[in-house]
Amino acid sequence: STCRMAPVSTTPTTMTRALVSPSSLLPVCPSPSNTQYNTGGLQSTVSGEQQHKTQRKASIGTILNSLDFDAFEYTYTELRELCTQIFENSVLPHFALNRKKLDVLVLKTQAIYQHVPYHSFRHSIDVTQFVYYCTQNEEVRQFLTPLDTFIVIVTALLHDLAHCGVNNPLLAEIDHDLATKYPESPLEEFHAELAARLIQQTECAVLEALPTNERTYFLQSMQKLILATDMSHHFSIKAEMEKRVAEGLSPDSQEDRFLVMKLLLKCADLSNVARSFETAREWAKRVVEEFSVIGDLQKEARQQATTETQEIQKLFDRERLDFPESQVGFINFVAKGQFSILSAAFSSLDHILQQVNHNADTWQQCQKQKDQHVLSFEQNLRALGGVIREPIDGALHKADIIKKPLEELSAELQETETSLIQRRLRAQQQNASTEKQVMNQNPQYVTSTSDKTKKSDSETSSTNGGGQEKKKNGSNRSSSSFPRIVVLILGAACCFTLFFWGGKRD
């Protein structure tokens, strides 16, 4: 079977080695119904591409209305199309938005998001789809006006604009400009300001269709919702939500309606743990990649400190990280509580909590007996040391894209997408030639039970090996070829001797 490749998070020419992440090159097996279109139709004929587009349109409702949505299955162009379809389904029937400005808004949003492992444009679409999925629920709809739905979907799309792949404590520790400018919640305040500027820029001004009072309410609500995604406020917000849900929410209360919007966005921001386990695992890799870079930067900053500093937390230390353990801890300590509130508020969404519980159980099994997939990822995570420079230093400059000419921006994005596709296809070719060799070299690994997982795992290790794996394979070939050279030389010498002495006797 064929395997789709997750688009590469970054390029080595613009990032340090730390962002050429193991999972950015991972092959991920699609469902059987999508196997022939796993690269977006790019390897197919023209007729195949047309068939691909037709099937995409026919199934788009199913795609967007599924908890099993997998953002890694689509190119950036397709993700923009899916995002636009979300607006067509949930917002355009109620508001006379300028369609061209909506398209430009989505396009510029993609351009402003940075190429970091997790907090990327792909994450924003994943969050947006989850919010949309929940707003299609009949129980939830009772609490949201069309304007509320409009607000929470736009906020989901813009909530992490220009995220630089690190967290607020690190920005404060290294005295970054963002921490100086926004001391309370550096990243979230930055995202909120950037989102407000973008959505009011002339080419993206989708709010012009709203009356002044609704426009004001929209901007204020969006700012509050983005600030609520700051994880330092997570448990206080969670306590507030638990109390209100226990007392009973009222759709007639504007305060309760806003709380539902906040609940949906908070759950959506963590929704990677509520996807199918295969998809959740891919997101988890990107999370720990960013965490590892945070740890690298913390080590660097503390080595330069003159006073005694604390040890890096295990979660952020690539040398000590236990991948499954980190996910079990996060789900049990953070995610389960949030999705339990969602389930308590809307019983028809209880299946989301059940999926979170299932993933937690699966991670616990992985913790007890690590398979090849986990071992390979942990090994290569430790091999990829380094620090992020450009995303951190360039975050403030991302605001300049808001005013960038659309034609220039479109050309740049197309060039980036083409580059990502080419790298993806090259990685697929490498997988095909090295899969068998990697599996033979690692007979001690415990293989997964499903054929789909076996395929994904074997290709993961072959792709994830990076320089070390190639070097290892190269050294094996060199050592094995040495005896052959000796044999050839000795054989040639024998032939020459026989020929010489035979001619002499004659």
Side-chain angles (χ1 to χ4, degrees), residues 249-318:
L249 299 174
S250 170
D252 298 325
S253 167
Q254 184 173 348
E255 181 180 348
D256 284 352
R257 292 203 307 273
F258 184 77
L259 185 141
V260 169
M261 294 164 63
K262 191 188 300 184
L263 175 61
L264 294 182
L265 184 65
K266 290 281 290 178
C267 287
D269 205 20
L270 307 176
S271 62
N272 57 88
V273 303
R275 305 297 187 180
S276 68
F277 181 75
E278 290 78 10
T279 304
R281 183 174 60 183
E282 299 308 313
W283 282 117
K285 290 172 183 173
R286 286 154 176 79
V287 171
V288 299
E289 284 160 22
E290 287 193 4
F291 282 178
S292 296
V293 174
I294 291 171
D296 295 341
L297 289 166
Q298 287 177 330
K299 289 177 183 177
E300 183 182 90
R302 294 174 188 183
Q303 285 173 354
Q304 299 172 0
T306 56
T307 59
E308 186 177 350
T309 57
Q310 296 179 341
E311 184 183 19
I312 305 300
Q313 294 182 34
K314 184 178 179 181
L315 181 62
F316 299 100
D317 191 339
R318 68 174 70 241

Side-chain angles (χ1 to χ4, degrees), residues 65 124 183 186-187 220 238 252 312 371 404 481:
N65 286 288
S124 80
L187 286 170
Q220 291 175 345
K238 175 175 172 286
D252 298 325
I312 305 300
D371 63 12
K404 203 164 192 176
S481 62

Side-chain angles (χ1 to χ4, degrees), residues 59-70 74 126 129-134 136 274-276 351-352:
S59 62
I60 199 166
T62 303
I63 293 170
L64 294 177
N65 286 288
S66 173
L67 184 62
D68 291 332
F69 176 76
D70 183 357
Y74 308 98
D126 191 56
Q129 186 275 339
F130 185 89
V131 167
Y132 170 77
Y133 173 76
C134 291
Q136 300 309 294
R275 305 297 187 180
S276 68
H351 63 282
I352 301 177

Side-chain angles (χ1 to χ4, degrees), residues 8-250:
V8 182
S9 301
T10 183
T11 58
T13 57
T14 58
M15 297 286 181
T16 58
R17 193 179 176 208
L19 278 190
V20 185
S21 58
S23 60
S24 65
L25 298 175
L26 287 181
V28 187
C29 292
S31 60
S33 60
N34 291 327
T35 50
Q36 58 183 323
Y37 302 113
N38 58 81
T39 58
L42 293 163
Q43 291 180 300
S44 61
T45 62
V46 174
S47 60
E49 291 177 356
Q50 293 298 327
Q51 184 183 13
H52 164 70
K53 292 178 180 178
T54 301
Q55 290 196 1
R56 285 288 194 214
K57 290 181 180 179
S59 62
I60 199 166
T62 303
I63 293 170
L64 294 177
N65 286 288
S66 173
L67 184 62
D68 291 332
F69 176 76
D70 183 357
F72 299 114
E73 191 172 331
Y74 308 98
T75 65
Y76 281 165
T77 300
E78 290 172 327
L79 289 175
R80 291 200 306 269
E81 292 172 355
L82 288 171
C83 182
T84 302
Q85 189 64 47
I86 287 175
F87 280 96
E88 287 185 354
N89 293 353
S90 59
V91 177
L92 292 181
H94 306 284
F95 301 95
L97 303 188
N98 184 310
R99 176 57 190 267
K100 182 178 180 181
K101 292 189 175 183
L102 176 61
D103 290 339
V104 175
L105 173 64
V106 177
L107 187 74
K108 288 200 171 186
T109 297
Q110 179 197 334
I112 294 174
Y113 273 96
Q114 303 209 65
H115 294 298
V116 293
Y118 180 79
H119 291 96
S120 62
F121 178 67
R122 195 172 299 278
H123 165 67
S124 80
I125 298 299
D126 191 56
V127 172
T128 304
Q129 186 275 339
F130 185 89
V131 167
Y132 170 77
Y133 173 76
C134 291
T135 59
Q136 300 309 294
N137 179 272
E138 289 299 328
E139 283 188 277
V140 175
R141 282 185 174 184
Q142 297 177 18
F143 284 85
L144 299 179
T145 66
L147 180 60
D148 294 333
T149 301
F150 187 12
I151 292 170
V152 73
I153 286 177
V154 170
T155 304
L157 178 65
L158 307 181
H159 78 286
D160 273 334
L161 272 182
H163 200 294
C164 47
V166 298
N167 58 12
N168 289 331
L170 176 68
L171 293 176
E173 184 171 348
I174 65 176
D175 294 324
H176 191 269
D177 289 344
L178 284 175
T180 303
K181 188 175 182 180
Y182 313 104
E184 180 65 27
S185 298
L187 286 170
E188 289 72 26
E189 291 183 48
F190 173 57
H191 301 325
E193 180 184 322
L194 206 56
R197 289 175 57 188
L198 175 63
I199 206 168
Q200 295 180 90
Q201 199 263 343
T202 304
E203 286 185 308
C204 310
V206 294
L207 301 187
E208 63 184 8
L210 301 180
T212 303
N213 62 325
E214 291 187 352
R215 196 180 313 164
T216 301
Y217 175 70
F218 187 110
L219 293 172
Q220 291 175 345
S221 299
M222 182 174 68
Q223 180 187 37
K224 293 177 182 177
L225 288 171
I226 292 177
L227 293 179
T229 62
D230 184 348
M231 289 304 292
S232 66
H233 305 314
H234 173 77
F235 291 102
S236 61
I237 293 174
K238 175 175 172 286
E240 171 199 357
M241 290 179 176
E242 285 176 330
K243 180 181 178 182
R244 286 297 304 125
V245 170
E247 294 171 349
L249 299 174
S250 170

